[in-house]
Each structure stands twice: as C-alpha cells, then as structure tokens.
C-alpha cells in the first residue's frame, strides 16, 4: 500500500480536476472490477491474453479505490453517501476478486465455494466491528496485496499458458496451493482479530455465526452437484449486501441484528435442492439464488443510498 501511494496515488490525486466527483471515481473503479472478473472468465475459455487485460482492470480498480477518498477530502466533497459507496460497493469488488483468483487458479468444486465463503465472512467481520464499536480497522493484508497477487497470477497464467503448477490441486504442493495457504492465513487473521477486539469492547462475536450458516448453506448447493460459479457469485453478493445494510444502520444510529429477515431467503434454494432432489437440478436452484442475490443487493444499494442522502441533508439542515 505504501509503495503504491508513494509511487503513484499521491502523485495522481493533485492532478484530478475538482469538477470530477469522487463518487464517479468510485463507480468507475467498480466497473473496472466487474470487467476484471468478466475478462478472466472469458480468458478461461481459451483466450489467456485476456488475463493481462483483466490484471490491468484490477489495478485500475485498486487505484480508483485509493484515490477517491483523498480526492474527496482535498476538494471538500466528503459525504455519507461517498463513504457508503466506497465501502458498500467494495463488497461487490471483493467477491469479483475472489472469483477471478479462483478462475485463474482453476479452482473446482467445493473449494471455490469455501474460498468465497471465507472471503465474504472476512469482509463482513471487518465492517461488523465498525458497526458494533464505531471503529474501522482494515486488515494488514488488504486489497492492495490481494489485487497485486491476483494480477501477478494472471500475468503468469498468460506467459506460461496456464501451467499445471498454477492449477489448484491439493494432491501436491505447487505455487497455487502455496498462495491459497497464505490467503487463508491472511483471512483467518482478518476474521479473528476484529472478533477479539470487538469482544473486548462488549460486542457478541457469536452473532457472526449467522452469516457463516448462510454461506455454508450456499456451499451446500455445490456439494449437491451444482457447478461452483453460481453459488460463489451468490456468496459474494450476500456478503456485500450484509455490509451495505450495516453501514446504513450505523449511520441511522440503529443497532439491529447482523442479518435482516430477508437474508434467510438465501438458504431457501439449498434447502429445496436438498429436500426435493427430483423436482429440479441443483444448478437450477443455484441460478435462483444468484437472481435473488442480485435483486437483494441492488435493492439494498438503492434504498441505502437514498436514505443516506436524506440523513446527510437532514444533518446539514440542522447544522445550518
């Protein structure tokens, strides 16, 4: 992070025209993240040169994610909505990044779902600590390190034409497995540390069991026979949705449960797939889960955005 700041971002921020809204930079970064995962997905179909384009998209996202805030502060354009968009939309990018890594490493089956589940829970826990303690502590190993690793992996996959030593396989140790072990260690630290700090501040870490149960249920679709991509997408959307909700509630000064009642609908497709195996395929139920995840996340972003604009305008009116 410090290297990028010194070499690139601190030099870029003063050059950004004041008329460019910080939220526009945030949204453009999110578009770059979606393009990053889409290009990686197409690259797995026999077009490895797209891995390099995807890597640059991810570096563009990382840059946008780290210059929008400084630009807002420099130009006096900070806002509650800006914070929400910055962190709330990062949940979507987090899922996209994990899926990109899983695709390039050719991660298959339940491993891909578990990879997304650990990432989603880690992202939720970071903002849960802020929700319960009003203190946001970003992990030491954050998006700067994660995106850099994924970009390097993509470039290696292109240069060496998707080599076997870059393919995820627990039957033997290779570069992919080593990377996965390091990533899991990083996520374990990112989950345990905020839980411990929040517990010392009086929060109840056991409530994190709820999102763990939902992500585990979605992984169950893979165990029942669904290809891993759709459940993994749903897990990423679920994690992003929960974080958006917590940010909105925090700004409204409300302390509710981590999950809203509608979040339990995410477990309905896995339960139906398990209870009625002859009624429909697990893949079909996984598609239903993705559609629900898209609708839920879109609704949460829109509702939260409008509410936070109202909260901000109300606060400005009271101050004046």
């Amino acid at each position: 992070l410090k290297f990028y700041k010194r070499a690139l971002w601190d030099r870029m921020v003063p050059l950004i025209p004041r008329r460019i809204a910080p939220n526009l930079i945030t949204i453009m970064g999110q578009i770059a993240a979606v393009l990053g995962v889409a290009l990686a997905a197409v690259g797995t179909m026999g077009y490895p040169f797209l891995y390099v384009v995807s890597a640059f998209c991810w570096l563009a996202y990382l840059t946008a994610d780290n210059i929008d805030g400084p630009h807002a502060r420099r130009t006096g354009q900070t806002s509650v909505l800006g914070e929400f968009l910055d962190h709330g939309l990062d949940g979507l990018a987090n899922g996209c990044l994990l899926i990109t890594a899983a695709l390039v490493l050719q991660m298959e089956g339940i491993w891909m779902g578990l990879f997304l589940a650990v990432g989603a829970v880690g992202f939720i826990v970071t903002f849960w600590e802020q929700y319960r303690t009003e203190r946001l502590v970003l992990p030491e190993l954050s998006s700067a390190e994660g995106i850099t690793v994924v970009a390097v992996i993509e470039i290696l996959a292109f240069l060496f034409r998707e080599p076997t030593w870059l393919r995820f396989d627990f039957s033997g140790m290779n570069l992919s497995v080593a990377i996965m072990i390091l990533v899991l260690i990083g996520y374990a630290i990112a989950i345990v540390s905020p839980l411990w700090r929040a517990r010392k501040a009086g929060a109840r870490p056991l409530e994190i069991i709820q999102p763990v149960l939902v992500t585990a249920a979605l992984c169950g679709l893979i165990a029942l026979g669904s290809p891993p991509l759709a459940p993994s997408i749903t897990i990423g959307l679920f994690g992003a949705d929960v974080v958006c909700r917590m940010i909105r509630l925090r700004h409204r000064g409300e302390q509710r449960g981590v999950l809203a009642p509608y979040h339990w609908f995410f477990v309905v497709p896995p339960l139906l797939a398990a209870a009625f195996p002859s009624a429909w395929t697990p893949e079909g139920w996984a598609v239903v889960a993705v559609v629900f995840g898209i609708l839920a996340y879109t609704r949460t972003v829109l509702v939260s955005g409008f509410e936070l604009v109202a909260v901000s305008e109300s606060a400005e009116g009271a101050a004046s």
Side-chain angles (χ1 to χ4, degrees):
L1 184 64
K2 292 180 180 178
F3 168 78
Y4 283 124
K5 282 176 63 64
R6 287 195 305 267
L8 186 62
W9 301 331
D10 287 347
R11 302 171 187 267
M12 291 179 63
V13 171
L15 302 177
I16 304 173
R18 290 179 176 270
R19 66 178 180 274
I20 295 180
N23 291 343
L24 177 61
I25 299 174
T26 302
I27 293 171
M28 294 301 293
Q30 298 299 324
I31 292 173
V34 173
L35 285 174
V37 69
L39 290 167
V42 178
T44 63
M45 301 176 187
Y47 305 96
F49 70 92
L50 291 178
Y51 291 149
V52 178
V53 186
S54 171
F56 278 102
C57 286
W58 277 113
L59 293 174
Y61 159 76
L62 181 62
T63 297
D65 190 44
N66 282 275
I67 66 174
D68 53 1
H71 174 60
R73 291 186 289 273
R74 184 178 69 91
T75 57
Q77 299 183 70
T78 58
S79 66
V80 171
L81 178 62
E83 183 211 341
F84 169 75
L85 291 176
D86 191 15
H87 295 313
L89 296 182
D90 276 349
L92 178 63
N94 181 66
C96 289
L97 179 65
L98 293 171
I99 291 174
T100 299
L103 290 172
V104 177
L105 296 177
Q106 301 180 52
M107 198 176 296
E108 298 178 350
I110 194 66
W111 295 112
M112 184 175 183
L114 292 174
F115 184 49
L116 265 293
V118 171
V121 171
F123 190 73
I124 289 171
V125 168
T126 296
F127 289 92
W128 169 81
E129 180 185 12
Q130 183 189 31
Y131 179 41
R132 293 306 188 202
T133 69
E134 291 293 334
R135 183 187 180 200
L136 177 62
V137 181
L138 296 177
E140 286 294 327
L141 296 177
S142 59
S143 59
E145 291 77 18
I147 289 173
T148 301
V149 170
V150 171
V152 169
I153 290 172
E154 290 192 285
I155 293 171
L156 290 175
F158 164 69
L159 292 176
F160 295 96
R161 295 297 187 268
E162 301 176 311
T164 55
W165 47 265
L166 204 56
R167 182 177 301 169
F168 184 76
D169 184 3
F170 256 139
S171 63
M173 177 61 69
N174 60 17
L175 180 59
S176 173
V177 175
I179 291 172
M180 189 55 51
I181 291 172
L182 291 175
V183 168
L184 291 177
I185 292 173
Y187 270 120
I189 296 172
I191 291 172
V192 173
S193 297
L195 289 175
W196 178 256
R197 289 192 300 265
R199 179 181 177 277
K200 287 169 51 175
R204 297 180 295 110
L206 286 178
E207 63 183 337
I208 294 300
I209 291 177
Q210 296 176 14
V212 170
L213 290 175
V214 174
T215 56
L218 291 169
C219 287
L221 281 169
I222 304 173
L224 290 170
S226 170
L229 184 58
S232 298
I233 293 173
T234 309
I235 291 170
L237 291 168
F238 166 73
D241 189 274
V242 172
V243 168
C244 284
R245 176 176 179 272
M246 288 192 293
I247 293 174
R248 182 182 82 240
L249 292 176
R250 179 171 58 81
H251 281 293
R252 288 170 55 180
E254 299 182 21
Q255 289 288 322
R256 299 187 183 181
V258 176
L259 302 188
Y262 73 86
H263 283 133
W264 294 107
F265 281 99
F266 278 96
V267 307
V268 172
L271 290 177
L272 292 176
F276 305 102
S278 59
W280 206 12
T281 63
E283 184 175 5
W285 289 116
V287 172
V288 171
V290 170
V291 172
F292 177 74
I294 293 172
L295 294 176
Y297 181 61
T298 302
R299 174 193 172 277
T300 300
V301 169
L302 293 177
V303 170
S304 300
F306 284 120
E307 283 192 10
L308 292 177
V309 168
V311 167
S312 179
E313 290 177 348
S314 176
E316 291 176 359
S320 63

